[in-house]
Amino acid sequence: MMPLIQNLLAEAGCADHPQVAEAVEQACYDQTSFIEAVLECEGVRERDFLMAVAHTLSLPWWEGSADKPVEQSLRRHLPAEIALRHRILPVRFEEADPESNDLNAGPFLHLATFDPLNLVTHQRVASSVPHTIIWHVGQRTRIAEGLQKLYGLGADTFEKILRGRADWGSEELGDEVTVLDAPEDEEASVVRFVNQILRRGLEQRATDIHVEPQQDRLRIRYRIDGRLEELAVPENIKSLQSSVIARLKIMARLDIAEKRLPQDGRINLELDGLPIDVRVATIPSVEGESISLRLLAQQAVTIDRLGMTDNVRPIVDELLKLPNGIILITGPTGSGKSTTLYAYLTELNQAHRRIVTIEDPVEYKMPGIVQIAVKPEIGLTFATGLRSILRGDPNVVMIGEMRDLETTEIAIRAALTGHLVLSTLHTNDAIGGITRLVDMGVEPFLVSSAVRAFFAQRLVRKLCPLCKLPAEVEDDYLQSINFPQGLPGRIMRANGCEACRGSGYQGRLSIYEVVLVTHALQHLVNTRAHPAELHKQAMQDGFIPMRGYGFQKVLSGDTTIEEVLSVTAMDRKADDVVPARAVTVPLKHAA
């Protein structure tokens, strides 16, 4: 082993590491980077090892920061292709001293790398950059974050396209690319650039991707854990706007010549062997077509994954054992209603049951279940499809949404004639489901006799398990929001780490409220009682408002008070509920 390598390993405390010696020898034999080989060894602390490398080579250490803004002017000093291929980041540029005659007086370009011994990188930079280079050593993750912010996603591909190296013919754009992690051609193309956008969104657990033409740029945003985050893209991406949009429309089998009307389509993708269904919707705008992509991983959704509390899960189990009746899930768009329905169907999907669904569109394809997608253009609506379903001897029927009186009345008749019906309804709370059906024109006695339960749900962000910390909240504030006192558990707060991209949250979970249609509630529904009376009776029957359910999740350390308050309403009168927004929770101190 070379003396320099031995000194580096000794300085970093890795000389006696059982895997390091073998990894270094293999890297020397393969003529690959031994620093990268050491970093891949289990148990090696990247920061400590790289700081030791910097100290041994007498190079400055570059700390970097996820919150520090990037100086965009640095991108012109180092081509994106070189920076991204060799993973080196421009961190500072110093102009030459105009009064000095010294040839070594600058200008200086400071570059950060995690592998300062890579001679190929040094040679490539020396041949491409006309400035004096000052090398720094930094962590791989910090450098990767900086490259993303400085150059934007796919900047190396973008530069090649602008240089005309890619084939711009329609034949390439028409190729069907579905496997996002397949080996890519070295030559850049619009196909590759679009794949990078999709792959990045899937890696960051995005549920939606929005491609939005603006007056002077093309904005791309990901919806991650319910929040929109803008993606850093190359500076001149506006020049590729029409090609990117055309590529997405071709993948979705849409008419690329039609730019005046909205269109809907689907894309079938695959990443790491996992099939992913993408719903595509185009909207014509004054600056060009805006495209929204809904990413749906085709994974089995079970009730266990919903994370229901001990007081709700038994209710669900009993409801799913019923031979007939309607179970309605209410909530606004994007509250996870369809996911919950699919979880219920997974539980019911057994050989002795015939399950038929009618949806718009079919979001998850489930084996063993007959699924129908509505097509209004040929007359296949929810109502007409539902009539046909009932003639096909189903045990369980799932209706994507009760949108009109005709569909609702057919569903009620199905429930009264021995079928278990699952569906969704757009209301703000569970009690609102009752008044909504009556307002649609359904007779109250049909509502009370057919519907077994009304669920309402919302999605809240889940605390990152790696960085969440205990928090102490002022007692007066807890009392003002009716937070339960004396129950076991601990209030936690978001902190932020690399795993959650500094947000303090990772993933989302559902919070619920359930109104069971009891005999007492049936009587009030039949007499067209005021929603406040319905709410009062539901409370007497054991109803737990959604905010109370959310507070249980707070005490279990799954989410924060801020998240629960942002999507729920105070437990006041049923006709006087106001959602809380821009919540600030006063802390005593943070441990």
Side-chain angles (χ1 to χ4, degrees):
M1 195 180 296
M2 296 172 55
L4 176 60
I5 296 178
Q6 290 178 333
N7 292 339
L8 284 174
L9 297 178
E11 177 76 18
C14 299
D16 298 327
H17 193 287
Q19 298 179 9
V20 165
E22 181 180 350
V24 170
E25 290 180 6
Q26 185 65 39
C28 294
Y29 178 79
D30 296 336
Q31 295 185 343
T32 57
S33 169
F34 91 88
I35 288 182
E36 196 157 8
V38 171
L39 292 175
E40 295 299 325
C41 293
E42 186 177 355
V44 173
R45 295 183 177 179
E46 177 179 329
R47 178 183 170 85
D48 295 343
F49 176 70
L50 291 178
M51 289 189 74
V53 170
H55 181 263
T56 303
L57 299 178
S58 299
L59 294 176
W61 174 256
W62 178 74
E63 183 65 40
S65 173
D67 301 327
K68 188 177 180 180
V70 176
E71 188 179 341
Q72 295 297 322
S73 61
L74 290 171
R75 75 173 77 188
R76 70 172 183 265
H77 298 296
L78 186 67
E81 182 181 356
I82 296 176
L84 296 173
R85 179 180 294 274
H86 299 282
R87 289 176 286 180
I88 51 179
L89 175 67
V91 295
R92 193 165 76 251
F93 179 74
E94 298 179 17
E95 297 284 356
D97 186 356
E99 299 181 357
S100 175
N101 296 322
D102 187 357
L103 296 178
N104 296 321
F108 301 103
L109 179 62
H110 296 253
L111 300 177
T113 179
F114 70 89
D115 190 0
L117 297 179
N118 192 318
L119 297 180
V120 174
T121 300
H122 284 262
Q123 292 171 356
R124 186 71 189 277
V125 171
S127 63
S128 305
V129 179
H131 311 306
T132 302
I133 303 300
I134 299 178
W135 291 97
H136 298 244
V137 179
Q139 288 181 262
R140 289 182 297 182
T141 52
R142 295 297 188 196
I143 292 173
E145 290 171 358
L147 289 171
Q148 171 71 27
K149 290 181 178 180
L150 182 60
Y151 292 100
L153 182 69
D156 52 344
T157 302
F158 181 76
E159 285 191 353
K160 287 183 179 180
I161 294 174
L162 294 186
R163 287 201 302 267
R165 294 185 180 179
D167 180 8
W168 287 72
S170 60
E171 180 180 352
E172 181 190 40
L173 285 176
D175 291 342
E176 185 175 352
V177 179
T178 57
V179 183
L180 295 180
D181 52 350
E184 291 178 336
D185 196 324
E186 286 296 322
E187 200 68 24
S189 66
V190 174
V191 172
R192 183 184 177 193
F193 185 70
V194 171
N195 283 356
Q196 288 174 317
I197 294 173
L198 294 171
R199 187 188 303 113
R200 178 77 173 182
L202 291 168
E203 289 172 350
Q204 295 199 357
R205 299 177 294 101
T207 56
D208 299 87
I209 301 176
H210 299 286
V211 181
E212 304 165 322
Q214 307 289 305
Q215 184 175 4
D216 56 351
R217 64 191 180 111
L218 180 65
R219 182 170 68 174
I220 299 176
R221 295 191 290 176
Y222 294 152
R223 187 175 294 278
I224 303 173
D225 296 337
R227 302 295 197 274
L228 282 173
E229 298 182 10
E230 188 165 349
L231 175 67
V233 293
E235 190 173 21
N236 298 322
I237 194 177
K238 181 71 174 178
S239 60
L240 277 186
Q241 174 178 309
S242 60
S243 299
V244 170
I245 292 174
R247 173 58 190 164
L248 288 169
K249 291 177 69 174
I250 288 173
M251 294 176 72
R253 292 181 171 84
L254 301 178
D255 183 359
I256 62 173
E258 180 56 73
K259 302 179 180 179
R260 301 166 301 169
L261 298 174
Q263 297 185 67
D264 294 312
R266 305 176 80 96
I267 301 174
N268 294 317
L269 301 178
E270 181 179 313
L271 182 64
D272 296 331
L274 177 67
I276 297 152
D277 188 29
V278 183
R279 287 164 49 186
V280 182
T282 71
I283 303 174
S285 71
V286 293
E287 300 296 342
E289 287 182 286
S290 174
I291 297 186
S292 297
L293 310 174
R294 170 66 59 88
L295 308 178
L296 302 167
Q298 298 297 307
Q299 294 176 296
V301 182
T302 63
I303 294 181
D304 292 334
R305 290 182 57 191
L306 298 179
M308 291 181 172
T309 57
D310 293 340
N311 58 342
V312 170
R313 177 60 188 272
I315 296 175
V316 173
D317 291 339
E318 290 300 317
L319 287 172
L320 294 182
K321 293 177 182 177
L322 295 174
N324 55 64
I326 298 178
I327 300 174
L328 275 175
I329 301 177
T330 71
T333 300
S335 59
K337 300 187 299 296
S338 296
T339 301
T340 300
L341 278 183
Y342 282 114
Y344 293 172
L345 291 180
T346 301
E347 186 77 11
L348 292 168
N349 190 10
Q350 298 178 17
H352 66 275
R353 286 193 184 98
R354 175 172 165 81
I355 303 176
V356 185
T357 75
I358 181 163
E359 310 168 56
D360 182 22
V362 175
E363 294 187 1
Y364 297 93
K365 296 177 182 177
M366 305 183 69
I369 294 178
V370 179
Q371 295 177 272
I372 303 171
V374 301
K375 297 179 181 178
E377 63 273 14
I378 62 173
L380 179 56
T381 62
F382 277 109
T384 56
L386 190 53
R387 288 193 186 96
S388 300
I389 288 173
L390 296 180
R391 292 194 292 267
D393 187 33
N395 299 106
V396 179
V397 178
M398 192 271 269
I399 306 170
E401 181 186 344
M402 289 188 177
R403 297 178 177 176
D404 53 71
L405 178 59
E406 185 179 9
T407 302
T408 305
E409 288 181 335
I410 298 172
I412 288 175
R413 285 201 297 270
L416 295 176
T417 55
H419 304 86
L420 182 62
V421 180
L422 310 178
S423 189
T424 68
L425 198 63
H426 285 279
T427 64
N428 287 327
D429 55 14
I431 292 293
I434 299 174
T435 55
R436 171 68 175 145
L437 291 178
V438 174
D439 289 342
M440 288 173 64
V442 181
E443 290 295 335
F445 74 91
L446 291 176
V447 175
S448 63
S449 58
V451 182
R452 298 289 179 261
F454 292 88
F455 284 77
Q457 72 176 66
R458 298 289 190 278
L459 294 176
V460 294
R461 290 186 294 174
K462 190 175 182 180
L463 279 168
C464 175
L466 301 178
C467 64
K468 62 182 180 180
L469 296 174
E472 297 292 339
V473 185
E474 293 181 0
D475 294 335
D476 291 343
Y477 179 76
L478 292 178
Q479 187 174 359
S480 69
I481 61 174
N482 296 328
F483 193 87
Q485 304 290 325
L487 295 180
R490 184 72 184 273
I491 299 175
M492 308 296 287
R493 65 178 177 88
N495 185 37
C497 64
E498 292 183 2
C500 59
R501 308 181 318 283
S503 68
Y505 299 92
Q506 194 170 45
R508 289 191 291 177
L509 58 87
S510 300
I511 58 175
Y512 303 91
E513 64 182 22
V514 186
V515 172
L516 297 176
V517 183
T518 61
H519 292 298
L521 195 62
Q522 280 181 324
H523 175 71
L524 291 176
V525 173
N526 291 339
T527 58
R528 298 179 182 267
H530 191 274
E533 297 180 62
L534 299 176
H535 187 273
K536 181 179 179 181
Q537 181 60 53
M539 294 291 289
Q540 294 176 359
D541 293 336
F543 165 68
I544 299 177
M546 191 182 298
R547 177 168 287 192
Y549 185 102
F551 287 157
Q552 295 179 21
K553 289 295 184 182
V554 171
L555 288 172
S556 63
D558 292 322
T559 189
T560 61
I561 293 178
E562 295 94 330
E563 281 295 300
V564 173
L565 297 184
S566 69
V567 300
T568 61
M570 282 290 288
D571 181 23
R572 302 188 182 101
K573 297 179 182 178
D575 59 347
D576 186 26
V577 287
V578 181
R581 298 294 178 199
V583 180
T584 302
V585 176
L587 301 178
K588 293 180 181 177
H589 63 275

